[in-house]
Amino acid sequence: QVQLAESGGGLVQPGGSLRLSCAASGSIFGIVAMAWYRQAPGKQRELVARIPTGGAATYRDSVKGRFTISRDNAKNTVQLQMNSLKPEDTAVYYCNADVRPWDSYYSYNYWGQGTQVTVSS
């Protein structure tokens, strides 16, 4: 079994910054990719940023230039640095990972429990 644990959400004023972190633990043979999604009230969950192992990060257009995703492969962690935050960034942010467990030839998709980010004055 694989678990993802997020931290770092909170309340911030417009223009401020937050850093989200997510740690993967459990029966991990390898991680294919890690990502951050978000879901605002009444809206569908959307991909914010994704970083594959050994590959380049990708971002949704609305966060390009403001958010940066990074990984520490040795620690199985992923971070999301969010700068110049806007009220429309308010959402629950979820960590997501494609992980190959030790007892499988296949990778599976896992989700964290989510962390609330609120951007408001």
Side-chain angles (χ1 to χ4, degrees), residues 23-47:
S25 62
S27 177
I28 299 172
F29 177 81
I31 296 180
V32 176
M34 301 188 81
W36 288 95
Y37 285 72
R38 67 186 181 188
Q39 187 168 21
K43 294 188 176 181
Q44 289 188 332
R45 191 171 297 189
E46 61 186 21
L47 176 65

Side-chain angles (χ1 to χ4, degrees), residues 35-108:
W36 288 95
Y37 285 72
R38 67 186 181 188
Q39 187 168 21
K43 294 188 176 181
Q44 289 188 332
R45 191 171 297 189
E46 61 186 21
L47 176 65
V48 176
R50 184 177 184 270
I51 182 167
T53 300
T58 56
Y59 301 88
R60 69 179 305 103
D61 287 346
S62 61
V63 308
K64 285 180 181 177
R66 300 188 298 122
F67 291 10
T68 302
I69 189 171
S70 60
R71 283 177 59 183
D72 184 331
N73 293 328
K75 297 181 179 179
N76 291 333
T77 61
V78 64
Q79 293 77 37
L80 185 68
Q81 178 67 41
M82 304 184 292
N83 299 327
S84 302
L85 283 160
K86 304 176 181 179
E88 50 264 42
D89 294 317
T90 296
V92 177
Y93 283 70
Y94 296 91
C95 179
N96 177 272
D98 292 319
V99 180
R100 179 184 165 187
W102 277 103
D103 59 353
S104 175
Y105 290 108
Y106 307 100
S107 62
Y108 299 89

Side-chain angles (χ1 to χ4, degrees), residues 12-32:
V12 65
Q13 293 186 341
S17 298
L18 280 176
R19 184 176 179 86
L20 306 181
S21 295
C22 172
S25 62
S27 177
I28 299 172
F29 177 81
I31 296 180
V32 176

